[in-house]
Amino acid sequence: MRRGGRLGRFSNWFAIVCGLYLGLAYFALPAAWEFRERSRAAPEMVTRTRQGIAGDPINVGLVGNRSEVVHAFAAAGWDAADAVTLKTAIEIGESVLFDRPYPDAPVSPLVYEGHEQDLAFEQPIGDSADQRHHVRLWNTDRQGPDGRLLWLGAASFDRGVGLSHDTGAITHHISPDIDAERNFLMDDLAAAGMLASSYQIPGIGPTMDGRNGEGDRYFTDGKATIGVLRRAP
């Protein structure tokens, strides 16, 4: 009876600790960050988490229709990311824990100009979804220089999985050099013969110690590179 009582008490304490962690990491701390961020002016070229916390900066863009964007990434060897569901969340966890391939693993949602990303693509490194190049893209409903749609995006490299610096929730951590990822993406599309031209526009501005929605540090020259896709035949 004593042993059963000890196990019961341990189970109760374990459940309490798990409940406290989930409450803090996924509800209380994100709500605190949302309250803080609402009082700050949001830079135009920065994404936001669902709680309104400043996320990854806009550092890339594409000009072309939706089918041309999808075709360009497929030609460059990038996979379209799955939607975030309970099933895909379990699958990405298994991929990271057991080094199982999951080339179209989901990416967390970010908000820009009032809505979550319209498209997301990735290119994994190694056997699991632990490390990957990835980009989120938003349809701006604006026109590029040739009259086709302008898409703006945030490209970064996931260097590993850990806990959020701000909330403690499980998340990917990005590499701080987001300019390198911007250049990698554009070089990949160019090497696949998908770009007709490219140009740069002002982004967030020079930033040496930026922080994204998970508290990850980044630095950038503050510019966004826009690639003009070749027209589909």
Side-chain angles (χ1 to χ4, degrees):
M1 294 295 292
R2 254 186 183 178
R3 188 173 179 184
R6 288 177 182 173
L7 287 174
R9 286 194 296 272
F10 174 79
S11 297
N12 290 339
W13 278 110
F14 181 74
I16 291 171
V17 170
C18 287
L20 287 173
Y21 165 72
L22 292 173
L24 283 171
Y26 293 92
F27 297 99
L29 289 176
W33 276 95
E34 179 180 4
F35 177 79
R36 191 198 73 165
E37 292 293 327
R38 278 180 176 174
S39 64
R40 296 186 174 187
E44 184 182 357
M45 297 295 278
V46 173
T47 65
R48 294 263 159 184
T49 67
R50 285 174 171 173
Q51 292 77 32
I53 303 168
D56 297 341
I58 296 295
N59 61 350
V60 296
L62 293 172
V63 176
N65 62 45
R66 187 186 185 98
S67 62
E68 289 169 335
V69 172
V70 173
H71 171 69
F73 277 97
W78 289 57
D79 296 287
D82 284 344
V84 178
T85 65
L86 177 59
K87 181 177 181 291
T88 59
I90 292 173
E91 288 178 353
I92 193 173
E94 291 175 342
S95 171
V96 171
L97 288 174
F98 304 113
D99 283 331
R100 294 176 182 170
Y102 190 3
D104 46 1
V107 301
S108 58
L110 288 176
V111 177
Y112 182 67
E113 293 187 337
H115 68 282
E116 294 179 1
Q117 67 261 18
D118 297 285
L119 297 171
F121 301 91
E122 63 193 292
Q123 188 182 86
I125 302 296
D127 292 330
S128 78
D130 188 31
Q131 294 186 338
R132 58 184 177 176
H133 304 280
H134 72 302
V135 60
R136 299 173 178 86
L137 292 169
W138 287 263
N139 178 353
T140 66
D141 288 326
R142 299 193 292 274
Q143 292 183 341
D146 63 2
R148 289 180 295 167
L149 282 174
L150 170 65
W151 301 74
L152 290 179
S156 59
F157 179 72
D158 282 337
R159 57 182 175 82
V161 172
L163 300 180
S164 167
H165 301 296
D166 293 330
T167 67
I170 299 171
T171 186
H172 275 91
H173 291 299
I174 67 168
S175 174
D177 189 354
I178 60 172
D179 293 349
E181 191 65 8
R182 172 194 68 194
N183 299 338
F184 176 86
L185 171 59
M186 290 299 161
D187 288 346
D188 237 19
L189 292 173
M194 293 294 104
L195 294 186
S197 62
S198 64
Y199 59 96
Q200 287 194 315
I201 63 173
I204 189 176
T207 305
M208 291 306 297
D209 193 25
R211 303 280 171 170
N212 72 358
E214 304 301 340
D216 292 341
R217 175 178 170 266
Y218 65 82
F219 57 87
T220 174
D221 62 15
K223 299 175 183 177
T225 299
I226 311 298
V228 180
L229 295 175
R230 292 192 181 278
R231 290 183 179 273

